[in-house]
């Protein structure tokens, strides 16, 4: 159905969102909420499938997104994380409140879709956006569902995940290949783990440049995964068999299913708007480089993108108003994302001895107290800054620098 008629041009929709992941759906919700006609296009048959996520979301982040999840999406709640060094030293990062929920991402995404539809968004699945076709200063898109058709809107949101195919075709900056790490994950049952603690395993031998994780999902089940520069599946299989602690946890485990994906460990792209288009979520690199988690910060910023588009559409599309988004996302998350990126770079440049030294001495120089007091799963920049301002921490850092990885 044709949408509003501004200045004599009738469009198919006010806005079209490409990709029904959390970023696209949250942007669409904001647009629909304001009475505009928004269409979400998703190439897969079902929203949320196939999934590629560990499902760990901070309770504070969900609150910030204004999301109160129904019970059937929540698989578990966790109160902290155990960080395990290459030689097996462990530190516990635990706070009084229930720090995070573990969700079923298939159900989470499907629920976000229903929520968006209830507010008026239209979602069409099994429909892939093939390309943007330039039309003077604006665009239409070529869409392949049962048939191939062209659609046109006043504004577009690109939320295509980490592939960045469409954004790249428009000359919008994309995430560097070297900042995309392959990830692999199993869902396992019959494991021997703490049911409310996430475990993160660091070390060059296990996961060079990143880490392996065990996330409990209740009733002796867990997601065990690993992301790193290469061979993530091989390395995960090896860790499950040979790593002192992981192999112990996995003794007798049954693999129920597996999934692969990509985590992003870089900085956000420097420009997220182009004419009447905004790029959001993983496509924009709005991801915590320290963990690859992108649902919360990607969601927070894509809501702002949706609002920016709705404001721009009120009097008739003005590209200049869409560009406002650049200022908005930067003021919300850029400092945080930068701090996490530098922390990730520092961690991944340490050799196993350096990591051991930092983790072993963490209690001594107040790292744990600072994290317990000021830590936030999503906004880690504040705590990283505090740690760097602590002279003892700086000394420990210098001590660890002796072990900077000579092979990098
Ligand atoms: C193994 C693993 C574990 C992770 N664990 C966590 C975690 O615990 N917590 C966390 O916060 N993050 C985690 N992440 C990251 C998280 O999954 C992403 O940050 C998040 O999914 C990004 O959301 P998005 O909406 O930007 O993209 P996506 O969720 O990737 O959604 C993009 C959607 O766009 C669709 N699409 C793409 N191109 C087109 C097209 N041309 N036409 C139509 N549709 C298209 C895709 O089918 C997809 O549905 C994990 C990632 C991996 C790989």
């Amino acid at each position: 159905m044709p949408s509003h008629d501004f200045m004599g041009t009738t469009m198919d929709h006010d806005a079209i969102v490409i990709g029904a992941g959390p970023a696209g759906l949250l942007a669409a919700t904001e647009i629909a909420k304001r009475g505009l006609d928004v269409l979400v296009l998703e190439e897969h048959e079902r929203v949320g499938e196939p999934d590629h996520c560990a499902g760990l979301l901070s309770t504070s982040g969900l609150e910030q997104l204004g999301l109160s999840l129904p019970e059937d999406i929540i698989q578990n709640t966790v109160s902290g994380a155990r960080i395990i060094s290459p030689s097996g030293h462990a530190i516990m990062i635990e706070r009084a409140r229930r720090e995070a929920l573990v969700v079923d991402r298939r159900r989470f995404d499907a629920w976000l879709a229903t929520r968006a539809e209830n507010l008026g968004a239209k979602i069409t699945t099994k429909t892939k956006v093939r390309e943007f076709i330039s039309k003077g200063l604006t665009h239409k898109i070529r869409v392949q569902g049962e048939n191939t058709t062209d659609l046109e809107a006043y504004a577009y949101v690109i939320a295509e995940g980490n592939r960045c195919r469409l954004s790249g075709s428009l000359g919008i900056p994309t995430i560097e290949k070297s900042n995309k790490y392959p990830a692999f994950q199993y869902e396992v049952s019959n494991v021997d783990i703490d049911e409310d603690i996430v475990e993160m395993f660091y070390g060059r031998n296990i996961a060079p440049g990143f880490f392996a994780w065990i996330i409990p999902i209740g009733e002796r089940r867990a997601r065990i995964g690993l992301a790193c520069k290469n061979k993530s599946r091989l390395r995960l299989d090896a860790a499950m068999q040979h790593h002192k602690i992981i192999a112990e946890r996995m003794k007798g485990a049954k693999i129920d299913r597996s999934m692969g994906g990509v985590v992003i460990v870089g900085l956000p792209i420097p420009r997220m708007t182009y004419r009447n288009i905004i790029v959001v979520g993983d496509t924009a690199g709005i991801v915590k480089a320290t963990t690859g988690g992108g649902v919360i910060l990607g969601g927070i910023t894509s809501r702002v993108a949706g609002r920016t588009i709705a404001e721009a559409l009120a009097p008739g599309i003005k590209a200049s108003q869409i560009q406002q988004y650049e200022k908005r996302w930067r003021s919300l998350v850029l400092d945080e994302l930068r701090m996490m990126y530098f922390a990730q770079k520092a961690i991944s440049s340490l050799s196993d001895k350096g990591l051991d030294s930092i983790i072993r001495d963490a209690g001594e120089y107040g790292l744990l107290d600072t994290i317990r007091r000021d830590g936030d799963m999503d906004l880690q920049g504040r705590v990283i800054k505090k740690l760097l301002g602590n002279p003892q921490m700086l000394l420990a850092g210098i001590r660890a620098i002796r072990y900077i990885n000579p092979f990098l």
Side-chain angles (χ1 to χ4, degrees):
M1 183 188 293
S3 190
H4 299 112
D5 188 342
F6 289 137
M7 299 177 291
T9 329
T10 303
M11 296 283 174
D12 300 302
H13 300 278
D14 290 328
I16 293 178
V17 176
I18 302 162
L25 291 167
L26 287 163
T29 304
E30 292 303 311
I31 300 170
K33 222 189 238 177
R34 288 163 177 77
L36 294 163
D37 165 18
V38 55
L39 172 70
V40 183
L41 298 171
E42 167 57 48
E43 63 183 334
H44 290 104
E45 187 167 359
R46 270 186 244 266
V47 171
E49 294 183 24
D51 59 333
H52 47 85
C53 187
L56 190 67
L57 306 178
S58 66
T59 42
S60 56
L62 288 165
E63 270 162 29
Q64 247 183 298
L65 285 172
L67 299 178
S68 168
L69 306 188
E71 282 297 310
D72 65 332
I73 294 176
I74 304 170
Q75 297 178 299
N76 198 9
T77 56
V78 293
S79 59
R82 186 179 291 124
I83 315 272
I84 293 140
S85 81
S87 68
H89 294 292
I91 50 173
M92 263 302 290
I93 296 177
E94 203 169 11
R95 304 201 314 145
R97 62 179 282 178
R98 286 278 161 187
E99 190 78 0
L101 302 183
V102 187
V103 303
D104 180 329
R105 261 298 294 272
R106 289 168 292 184
R107 290 190 178 177
F108 177 73
D109 288 18
W111 177 74
L112 288 179
T114 307
R115 191 170 164 269
E117 282 175 321
N118 289 343
L119 287 161
K122 300 182 194 88
I123 300 177
T124 306
T125 57
K126 273 169 84 176
T127 307
K128 183 174 177 126
V129 177
R130 287 272 167 213
E131 60 178 322
F132 273 86
I133 297 163
S134 194
K135 262 189 85 187
L137 287 179
T138 62
H139 295 91
K140 60 182 179 173
I141 51 172
R142 183 141 302 155
V143 166
Q144 193 182 347
E146 271 174 30
N147 303 306
T148 301
T149 37
D150 290 351
L151 290 175
E152 196 170 358
Y154 294 103
Y156 300 89
V157 175
I158 301 183
E160 59 179 327
N162 60 59
R163 261 181 288 167
C164 313
R165 192 180 58 80
L166 293 167
S167 57
S169 74
L170 290 164
I172 297 171
T174 55
I175 300 151
E176 279 173 36
K177 214 171 156 213
S178 59
N179 285 330
K180 293 182 185 184
Y181 282 4
F184 202 80
Q185 180 172 264
Y186 293 113
E187 265 184 30
V188 290
S189 46
N190 196 32
V191 284
D192 187 14
I193 48 167
D194 277 341
E195 293 281 354
D196 68 344
I197 299 292
V198 168
E199 291 188 306
M200 296 158 87
F201 299 85
Y202 288 84
R204 272 183 63 79
N205 279 335
I206 318 168
F210 214 60
F211 61 90
W213 60 87
I214 299 180
I215 296 181
I217 52 178
E219 296 169 350
R220 306 196 69 218
R221 292 179 308 130
R223 294 199 181 101
I224 171 159
L226 184 149
C228 66
K229 289 179 178 161
N230 55 28
K231 301 185 190 149
S232 54
R233 183 178 193 165
L234 266 176
R235 292 179 194 278
L236 177 60
D237 289 342
M240 287 167 76
Q241 283 183 21
H242 306 299
H243 185 278
K244 206 167 49 181
I245 302 169
I246 299 177
E248 185 62 28
R249 306 263 194 273
M250 293 298 131
K251 217 192 278 167
K254 176 176 164 286
I255 293 177
D256 298 323
R257 71 190 192 101
S258 60
M259 64 192 86
V262 168
V263 295
I264 296 168
V265 297
L267 284 165
I269 59 172
R271 183 167 51 84
M272 299 185 188
T273 58
Y274 173 64
R275 293 184 180 162
N276 55 345
I277 299 168
I278 300 186
V279 177
V280 298
D282 270 15
T283 321
I286 303 220
V287 172
K288 296 181 281 181
T290 44
T291 64
V295 174
I296 300 292
L297 296 185
I300 289 171
T301 41
S302 59
R303 286 180 78 200
V304 174
R307 257 175 258 150
T308 305
I309 284 180
E311 284 164 22
L313 284 179
I317 183 72
K318 284 203 190 89
S320 59
Q321 274 172 295
I322 284 204
Q323 314 311 316
Q324 298 285 325
Y325 179 65
E326 298 290 356
K327 239 193 266 161
R328 293 178 179 172
W329 79 260
R330 285 199 177 102
S331 72
L332 269 175
V333 293
L334 183 58
D335 283 353
E336 291 289 341
L337 293 173
R338 276 191 182 142
M339 289 305 287
M340 290 189 252
Y341 171 74
F342 292 125
Q344 164 60 20
K345 275 267 167 243
I347 292 168
S348 62
S349 64
L350 288 174
S351 68
D352 282 359
K353 276 193 176 166
L355 278 167
D356 268 327
S357 126
I358 287 255
I359 292 175
R360 194 189 50 230
D361 302 340
E364 235 177 69
Y365 46 70
L367 179 134
L368 291 181
D369 292 340
T370 307
I371 296 176
R372 280 185 195 122
R373 203 176 44 245
D374 300 312
D376 183 300
M377 256 181 75
D378 300 304
L379 306 175
Q380 299 166 0
R382 196 174 44 163
V383 85
I384 296 168
K385 255 187 217 155
K386 279 209 167 170
L387 289 171
L388 290 176
N390 168 344
Q392 280 171 302
M393 173 64 201
L394 210 58
L395 276 178
I398 291 165
R399 207 180 326 154
I401 284 171
R402 283 192 285 133
Y403 302 119
I404 282 203
N405 194 330
F407 302 109
L408 278 176

